[in-house]
Amino acid sequence: MGQTLRVTVNGEARTDEVEPRLLLVHYLRETCGLTGTHVGCDTSQCGACTVLLDGAAVKSCNMLALQADGAEITTIEGLAPEGGLHPLQTAFWENHGLQCGYCTPGFIMAAAALLAENHDPSDEEIGRGLEGNLCRCTGYVNIRKAVRAAAQAMREGATAPIGG
Amino acid sequence: MAVTQLIGARVQRREDPRLITGHGRFIEDHTLPGLTHLAVVRSPHPHARILGIDSAAARALPGVLAVFTAADFHKVLSGSMPVTPSFAPEKKYVPERFPIAEREVCFQGEPVAVVVAQDRYLAADAADLVQVTYEPLPAVVDPEVAMSPGSPLVHSDGPDNIGWDMTYAGGDIEAAFGRAEVVVKERILQQRLAPTAMEPRGVMASYSPYDEQLTLWLSSQNPHFIRLFVSGAMGIPESRVRVVSPDVGGGFGSKISPYPEDYLVPAASKLLQRPVRWIETRTESVMTTIHGRGQVFTAEAAALRDGTLLGLRLTQVLDLGAYHGTFGAFQACACLMSGGVYRWEAISARTVGVLTNKVPTDPYRGAGRPEGTHLCERMVDRVADELGMDPAELRRKNFAREFPFQNNFGLTYDSGNYDGTLDRALELSDYQGWRRRQASAREEGRLIGVGLSTWVEICGLGPSAPTAAATGGIALVEAAQIRFLPSGSVAAYVGTHAHGQGHDTTFSQLVAETLGVPLEAVDLRHGDTAEGPSFGYGTYGSRSLAVGGMALYTASQEILAKARKLAAHLLEAAPDDLEFTEGAFTVRGNPQAKKTIQEVALASYGGSLPQGMEQGLEAVSHFDPPNFVWPFGAHVCVVEVDRETGAVEILSYTGVDDCGNVINPMIVEGQVQGGIAQSIAQALFEEVVYDGESGQLLTGTMLDYLVPTMNELPTPKLDRTVTPSPTNALGVKGIGEAGTIAASAAVINAVCDALRPLGIHHVDMPASPDRLWRLMQEAGR
Amino acid sequence: MIPAAFKYSKAGSVREAVAQLREAGPEAKVIAGGQSLIPLLRLRLSQPTHLVDVNGVRELDYVHPEGDVLRVGALTRHSTLARSELVQRHLPLLAEMAAQVGDPQIRARGTLGGVFAHADAAGDYPTLAVMLDATIVTDRRRVAARDFFQHLFTTVLAEDELVCEVVFPMAPGPHRYLKFRRRLYDWAIVGAAVQKLDSGWRVGLTHVGPTAVRAAAVEARLLAGATFQEAAGAAAEELDPPSDVRASADYRRHLARVLTRRALEQAA
């Protein structure tokens, strides 16, 4: 039943035999052991499973693993070099952009895609960029603040944005 | 308490480094060698008789290890799931609840069978192959129908559908209404809500038959109570059951009570002698995780023409669902809090708990207090409306001002300054400016409304006497343990368990400050019943700081008391001659004679102790609060209603709250922001809808259950006043539920204010565009 | 939730896709972006025996202006349409719609052709196609948009037929798409699209019936010189909108009128 999947995950080239119906999120979590990507719904509303696929934010629970064949995937674990923090991660920490933290990896990955395209998003653009992600704890106030802070830090040259 | 180096500081959270890098450990991130996966076969019917279960096809699927039904579980589970007295001690009908249905299913989603397989994909396949034959029975989903004679029975062997029916009497209600110059009546709905923690529930269990040990990992706000309940049902001594609640991805009340899966997963592990894991899907979550609210109020308020409030008479019809939630009757506290921040001559509140063929309701963020506040604040606005008074003035006229203040039901509000929060909220929101803008907008035919909510909450559960009665025997105190290790590092254990509130940070700040050690020296541990004090009481009801924080504080004081004796011995001084500042004991008048607490800790493991002193420096302390604590505040919401579409836009939102002293203002603000968002979500967006005829859930996914995104919610303007609680040494109250208790009333009062020129005086939640358009259509006729 | 098992093959060309569909039999399905299909698979509301993945059919990812039409390949993703300068120049209403489909993650994967083949009543592009008389090109024929959609989730496509291209007339003039929804990323409760052509206004409505609707009565009134207000009053004529948990049929009719008027006002 298995079919061959070749992907690069956080810089590591992999080849795995997977069942066609295996969702990308389960491949990442269970085959690759990258449990930072979360599942929050069945119908692609919550965005907790967001990862970067060739630089674009996608919902990994709304893709088959085999559809990622040949792609480069970045998960929350691979966003910053080992032991370091991406400006978005720093900004979420400094601005209390998370409470329970379950939605946070998805938000950070969606925001990373947003900031790669738009270095100085307005509040409205941040809202549009993160419309596919739900948070139940923060009321989004500090998420918006964190994204603004990260954008500023990145403009000031802390770290080059992923894919940008 | 003064703001010192750590207390009152915006310390960045210690939880965050793991959570922002993808290294949090949530329930689904846990695995074990040989793990098997469980899927639940659930009833598609709201009410049906089970005629037969054919599991042959499922069992035949390669990789399937077992299919279990009620008959199998009876071998390892006994008793009925717990129901506490809470605020409705006199129950009438309490249906028995075994974690899995045997002969009859009473709500859509009730477990009928479970499948265990080698992987979760196979388990899902096998669950689809279990053939259950049902005979549908009449179902009832509307509580007002269910309480009327002739209603279909929720349980076919029940006497009726009445779970309880009792009246709280607070004063002479007839006399109060007898003096009334104005009486307003309203019917106010509290729709059912799905708590929707972003992390669904999950349970993993490993039973070892050789030493009869059970370890249970689950996403819970309340691990010790789960240990108590599950050990009892499985007949395993409590000491041989370990419950671990790891990082919890939100709870909001939905992870307090025990669920069927909390029993079925460990029972399956015992039956199979393999580790078993079950992870809830979102679809299961909306259908089978407890719902909140679900109440219908009818209320009348009596007042004098000058705005003096006299009496409030109300009935709460509470939709219980098919079984009593373990703490479901807590929601009856809406009655006890229906008087809000005001002086009333009398309040009479009847609560009727009604069974329906739906998933049970149970505490959801605020649990009875948002409902009580919403009711009270709507009725006060209705009185102001009737009298043509400014709602701020009417509120001010009736505020309780002398503290402690005893409300109509004998509850004692510890401290308050309701004028202070209202004044500040009116100022911060530019209330007068909005009133002017509203007047000119009305001239243009635009519908702008301004709404207030002056709220108070009962929290910090709780004093032992009332809470022991309410749980059926276990007083909701809190326990903490603090251990100084020889190296001077501190392990602090507490029986609460955070699920986003940042306790690792707040409690570490508190302990470090109290013991005078660096923040980095404190390791805060919670959520594992194998560690710390023998019992913990969980996180809910905005209790963790006021009760759990206090337990840590009192344990720290015990440590300091012993350390002082030892330091005096080491410094050859009398204990009373020592001063303790910045983590060190010094002899008064001789600052050179000094021992840091960490030096004392090392010495406590040594050989030269004072006579009679045992080695070690550790303490266990229970804190039993003398009263509940009573946070309060004032919120102001400004909305504009689109006259054509009924769409509501929030133009401005302001909240001024008072939770006493604050340990970490950053976290307090975050709690308020999130609480307001959840309450705005109730006011404008969310509703669990069942089809009245078929009893089928119509909002079963996040596509239809409308949790708002960033784009639908405002950035509130926030401020605080500080009125410490006089009932605990820290002067703290609670803040976790404040925003949720406050906001729905402010939003709906604003919507009603906007629609007042059209002759509309009340709007139910959610104030959806469709609903508002319909009201405007009817008003226009 | 977990999809039921299926077989899976990748097609590199239209010919391969059709051959694979044919071989896999009547219960096979095409997967492109999968943004609507995968939730259905996970809920097991759809249980195909075989999925033919057409994401590798690069020949269908294009935007070609040609004469007075804009040919858009079926595999063009929403995010590409939203950003495409060619689309913005020749049919800006399509770009406006594309930018409002779902959320950024969904727009990064979902495709134009997928929306046509899926035929959700709340789909946005079908409204544009129907109101502008677009043509849907499959591997074997050309079908007028008004004939393509038959009912909810139902089109004229044969089981082994692949949407390859949609041919829209160019329309650079005034336009607007208003999508009424509770949350920014929701499907439209009702949508109204207007486009000014040399010949007059075209008006289309989303989610007011089982398929997209061209509001011919509104167009006729406008042509006869009615005001936007008067013309929009005809938007709900002959509609049979659904009543569901989001909105009642009455309210949808009302929204059709209001949104049509507002779209006309904003476009003009």
Side-chain angles (χ1 to χ4, degrees), chain B residues 435 438 442 448-451 748-757:
Chain B
R435 285 292 182 209
Q438 176 183 41
R442 277 182 181 166
I448 285 183
V450 185
I748 295 298
N749 280 342
V751 171
C752 293
D753 188 47
L755 299 179
R756 180 166 301 122

Side-chain angles (χ1 to χ4, degrees), chain B residues 454-470:
Chain B
T454 48
W455 63 277
V456 62
E457 116 178 64
I458 175 173
C459 71
L461 321 178
S464 57
T467 56

Side-chain angles (χ1 to χ4, degrees), chain B residues 729-749:
Chain B
L730 297 170
V732 296
K733 298 188 174 182
I735 198 64
E737 295 161 296
T740 305
I741 291 166
S744 77
V747 176
I748 295 298
N749 280 342

Side-chain angles (χ1 to χ4, degrees), chain C residues 28-264:
Chain C
K29 251 184 160 343
V30 173
I31 183 164
Q35 299 301 288
S36 290
L37 179 59
I38 291 180
L40 294 175
L41 298 177
R42 292 180 70 191
L43 298 170
R44 298 199 173 194
L45 294 172
S46 175
Q47 300 197 14
T49 53
H50 189 122
L51 287 185
V52 175
D53 187 341
V54 296
N55 283 283
V57 187
R58 302 320 306 168
E59 64 192 82
L60 296 185
D61 181 2
Y62 59 84
V63 175
H64 287 328
E66 199 175 276
D68 55 1
V69 299
L70 191 70
R71 294 172 45 209
V72 184
L75 205 69
T76 313
R77 301 194 195 272
H78 307 307
S79 54
T80 309
L81 289 172
R83 283 180 213 144
S84 160
E85 278 180 30
L86 289 173
V87 176
Q88 281 166 4
R89 190 178 328 144
H90 299 297
L91 186 55
L93 183 50
L94 176 59
E96 186 176 323
M97 280 186 167
Q100 294 185 66
V101 173
D103 54 53
Q105 294 96 315
I106 285 171
R107 294 195 284 274
R109 295 291 303 164
T111 65
L112 176 96
V115 172
F116 281 83
H118 184 56
D120 192 308
D124 303 302
Y125 304 143
T127 304
L128 183 65
V130 166
M131 69 190 254
L132 292 186
D133 284 324
T135 301
I136 290 96
V137 182
T138 75
D139 60 278
R140 66 200 66 171
R141 56 180 164 160
R142 300 170 70 87
V143 186
R146 64 178 170 278
D147 301 325
F148 182 80
F149 301 102
Q150 295 186 310
H151 203 69
L152 203 59
F153 302 118
T154 312
T155 68
V156 297
L157 287 175
E159 282 145 0
D160 60 351
E161 191 170 3
L162 190 69
V163 175
C164 295
E165 179 182 282
V166 181
V167 183
F168 294 98
M170 286 183 183
H175 60 276
R176 179 60 70 202
Y177 185 49
L178 293 181
K179 197 167 168 178
F180 192 84
R181 42 194 172 168
R182 300 284 295 282
R183 299 178 295 188
L184 193 59
Y185 74 156
D186 282 336
W187 295 89
I189 292 175
V190 172
V194 301
Q195 174 72 58
K196 184 134 190 219
L197 303 179
D198 292 341
S199 55
W201 286 98
R202 293 291 179 90
V203 180
L205 295 167
T206 303
H207 210 183
V208 290
T211 63
V213 167
R214 178 169 166 190
V218 179
E219 294 175 7
R221 284 197 194 185
L222 287 166
L223 209 54
T227 63
F228 289 155
Q229 170 90 33
E230 289 161 357
E237 276 176 19
E238 292 172 38
L239 291 186
D240 185 17
S243 266
D244 56 31
V245 73
R246 291 294 178 86
S248 61
D250 279 354
Y251 183 59
R252 281 202 165 90
R253 277 193 204 95
H254 169 72
L255 282 180
R257 289 187 287 262
V258 173
L259 297 179
T260 299
R261 192 201 75 234
R262 289 184 179 181
L264 286 165

Side-chain angles (χ1 to χ4, degrees), chain B residues 530-546:
Chain B
E531 296 185 333
S534 56
F535 204 79
Y537 303 80
T539 286
Y540 44 81
S542 303
R543 67 187 301 277
S544 296
L545 179 59

Side-chain angles (χ1 to χ4, degrees), chain B residues 17-234:
Chain B
R18 68 178 185 273
L19 296 172
I20 55 178
T21 55
H23 296 92
R25 294 276 289 158
F26 296 94
I27 185 66
E28 197 181 346
D29 306 336
H30 288 70
T31 187
L32 287 169
L35 184 66
T36 64
H37 299 262
L38 182 146
V40 183
V41 179
R42 300 181 184 279
S43 169
H45 301 286
H47 196 194
R49 194 166 286 126
I50 300 169
L51 300 180
I53 301 175
D54 180 356
S55 60
R59 282 177 212 274
L61 197 68
V64 171
L65 302 169
V67 179
F68 296 131
T69 63
D72 303 295
F73 285 111
H74 278 300
K75 294 174 207 155
V76 288
L77 288 174
S78 62
S80 181
M81 288 172 64
V83 177
T84 61
S86 292
F87 287 116
E90 301 152 30
K91 304 263 191 324
K92 287 180 179 293
Y93 172 41
V94 180
E96 294 275 306
R97 184 181 189 188
F98 193 64
I100 187 164
E102 187 159 22
R103 283 181 285 278
E104 187 173 320
V105 287
C106 297
F107 70 93
Q108 188 187 7
E110 186 163 11
V112 176
V114 305
V115 173
V116 186
Q118 283 165 355
D119 79 47
R120 75 158 76 170
Y121 281 50
L122 286 175
D125 292 343
D128 269 5
L129 294 175
V130 175
Q131 298 291 321
V132 184
T133 312
Y134 296 98
E135 177 197 343
L137 295 169
V140 57
V141 295
D142 180 337
E144 289 179 301
V145 173
M147 69 191 280
S148 57
S151 161
L153 291 172
V154 171
H155 296 265
S156 58
D157 59 353
D160 54 27
N161 301 321
I162 306 298
W164 69 73
D165 185 348
M166 54 181 285
T167 299
Y168 287 106
D172 187 344
I173 195 74
E174 298 307 328
F177 273 78
R179 298 209 298 125
E181 293 170 354
V182 58
V183 173
V184 293
K185 295 185 187 183
E186 205 53 78
R187 179 183 150 84
I188 298 173
L189 299 180
Q190 283 280 341
Q191 77 272 34
R192 268 190 179 229
L193 300 177
T196 322
M198 291 311 302
E199 182 201 26
R201 294 184 294 121
V203 186
M204 181 170 80
S206 176
Y207 178 80
S208 161
Y210 307 104
D211 45 11
E212 212 193 287
Q213 295 268 357
L214 173 68
T215 309
L216 197 56
W217 292 262
L218 80 174
S219 185
S220 175
Q221 301 172 227
N222 205 11
H224 291 85
F225 271 95
I226 299 297
R227 181 181 64 177
L228 174 69
F229 296 141
V230 172
S231 66
M234 290 187 69

Side-chain angles (χ1 to χ4, degrees), chain B residues 672-687:
Chain B
V672 174
Q673 286 160 348
I676 289 171
Q678 252 173 40
S679 196
I680 291 174
Q682 171 172 19
L684 298 179
F685 294 96
E686 297 176 15
E687 180 172 28

